[in-house]
Amino acid sequence: MKVKVIPVLEDNYMYLVIEEHTREAVAVDVAVPKRARPLPGALCTRAWRPNTGSHLDHLHLPNSHPFQLLEIVGREGVSLTTVLTTHHHWDHARGNTELARLLPGLVVLGADERICALTRRLVHGEELRFGAIHVRCLLTPGHTSGHMSYFLWEDECLDPPAVFSGDALSVAGCGSRLETTAQQMYHSLVETLGTLPPETKVFCGHEHTLGNLEFAQKVEPCNNHVKAKLSWAKKRDEDDVPTVPSTLGEELLYNPFLRVALPSGSHRTPSPCREEAVRKFTGKVAPAEVLEVLCRERASFERAAEPLQPQAQALLALQWGLLSMPRPK
């Protein structure tokens, strides 16, 4: 199984998963299926090309030209048959409609009827198969009520499994809670995603690692794993290379949203002060309440950072078709 990491928009990731024997490919979270014509002064997008194995080749492209998904499909010589969409938000699903038009017969899967061009709605625990690749669908509500994460593995393969977590789980953080209760979000993060094998590679939906780790350091200022990861992430940012993937085992060491409590029935040994430090920060004891305070504090922490300038926001929205141009009279 090969995973192509494709940065698009301002900080999004979409992915191309390739079954190397059958050459069948599955795309995850298609925000943009092809190149966009840049607007003068529009915000820049960085691009990288992942190599086989664990390393990433740094590839400089003009900043206004993000990778074209179909270009990569053609270069790899694969057949793109399916799209897996984690949730309905435009920056994860807007490209589905155009991609389905360009590839008749394309299957678009997800758990929310609001997903663009949805072919079939998935349910929690459903399993799919693409050649040797198994996919287990994990409903992970929190960011949205219909958020689905995808756990992938291959039989008799030494490569670790992978989870495509969209906005449910990111490196050192998670997406904001928008449509569900804190208890549901706790179940998604700790009981569902938190119990996957620790070697699982985590491919998330956004490059929010630096901000997430800065918040994690505020929550646990004495956590050396946070300090080390933050130093590493700053170097990655300076070199313009992605911080994905992480592993679930790493996330359990520095992601405060996974450190609110051990999952029910877990046999893992708690790390020193794992729950105590996070509970002390929030002033709460019950895991769901701890998580709720973390989400609220993370939102305040983010608002305190310098916001995107209104003019730049408008340019980005216009570039990706979120604002309509006035029709000439």
Side-chain angles (χ1 to χ4, degrees):
M1 178 172 64
K2 181 193 294 185
V3 177
K4 290 284 184 178
V5 180
I6 310 171
V8 291
L9 303 180
E10 187 185 6
D11 59 20
N12 274 67
Y13 288 122
M14 62 181 182
Y15 301 97
L16 186 69
V17 183
I18 299 171
E19 207 282 19
E20 298 189 79
H21 298 291
T22 64
R23 307 305 294 169
E24 182 177 3
V26 176
V28 180
D29 280 359
V30 180
V32 184
K34 62 179 184 179
R35 292 178 190 239
R37 176 174 291 180
L39 291 174
L43 293 179
C44 295
T45 300
R46 294 177 295 182
W48 303 266
R49 180 178 59 197
N51 202 356
T52 54
S54 60
H55 301 287
L56 292 170
D57 282 338
H58 185 188
L59 177 66
H60 278 292
L61 291 180
N63 283 334
S64 56
H65 290 285
F67 265 138
Q68 181 180 10
L69 176 61
L70 294 179
E71 215 172 61
I72 298 175
V73 168
R75 186 166 63 243
E76 290 290 323
V78 297
S79 175
L80 178 58
T81 64
T82 306
V83 171
L84 299 175
T85 303
T86 59
H87 61 294
H88 74 282
H89 288 164
W90 74 271
D91 56 337
H92 295 261
R94 184 174 178 267
N96 291 352
T97 301
E98 184 176 6
L99 191 62
R101 180 183 64 81
L102 295 170
L103 296 176
L106 183 74
V107 177
V108 179
L109 303 175
D112 196 319
E113 292 178 349
R114 295 172 290 181
I115 291 171
C116 297
L118 186 69
T119 302
R120 184 169 67 83
R121 190 173 178 180
L122 300 169
V123 298
H124 177 69
E126 184 172 350
E127 295 202 0
L128 311 171
R129 188 76 179 264
F130 302 97
I133 299 176
H134 297 263
V135 180
R136 181 174 300 142
C137 304
L138 302 173
L139 191 63
T140 46
H143 184 62
T144 67
S145 59
H147 194 293
M148 185 73 84
S149 298
Y150 301 97
F151 179 62
L152 278 66
W153 76 96
E154 285 184 303
D155 289 332
E156 300 179 2
C157 179
L158 297 178
D159 294 336
V163 64
F164 294 86
S165 56
D167 286 356
L169 175 68
S170 55
V171 180
C174 66
S176 55
R177 182 173 64 86
L178 299 178
E179 298 181 350
T180 63
T181 67
Q183 184 63 47
Q184 287 174 301
M185 191 173 189
Y186 165 76
H187 181 79
S188 296
L189 285 170
V190 178
E191 302 287 347
T192 300
L193 295 175
T195 55
L196 294 175
E199 67 271 19
T200 301
K201 298 286 187 181
V202 178
F203 293 94
C204 60
H206 292 275
E207 182 60 51
H208 290 168
T209 303
L210 273 179
N212 288 342
L213 285 165
E214 287 167 354
F215 176 69
Q217 190 168 56
K218 180 181 178 181
V219 176
E220 294 188 272
C222 297
N223 188 325
N224 290 329
H225 298 291
V226 173
K227 294 177 183 179
K229 189 71 174 182
L230 180 57
S231 176
W232 174 86
K234 287 179 178 177
K235 181 64 168 61
R236 302 288 286 186
D237 185 64
E238 291 170 1
D239 293 340
D240 281 349
V241 290
T243 59
V244 297
S246 63
T247 69
L248 182 62
E250 292 171 348
E251 294 298 319
L252 291 169
L253 296 175
Y254 52 65
N255 190 327
F257 297 91
L258 288 179
R259 293 170 61 77
V260 296
L262 287 173
S264 300
S266 174
H267 298 293
R268 297 177 188 172
T269 303
S271 58
C273 302
R274 171 194 168 115
E275 299 171 51
E276 180 184 345
V278 180
R279 287 176 176 175
K280 182 178 179 181
F281 175 81
T282 62
K284 301 293 182 179
V285 175
E289 293 179 359
V290 173
L291 186 61
E292 187 166 24
V293 173
L294 283 177
C295 289
R296 187 166 61 245
E297 290 295 324
R298 178 66 176 91
S300 298
F301 183 84
E302 190 171 355
R303 284 193 297 270
E306 184 178 356
L308 190 65
Q309 296 300 315
Q311 183 181 12
Q313 287 181 319
L315 282 170
L316 184 63
L318 183 61
Q319 184 181 13
W320 298 110
L322 297 183
L323 300 177
S324 58
M325 293 287 289
R327 294 183 180 180
K329 295 182 179 179

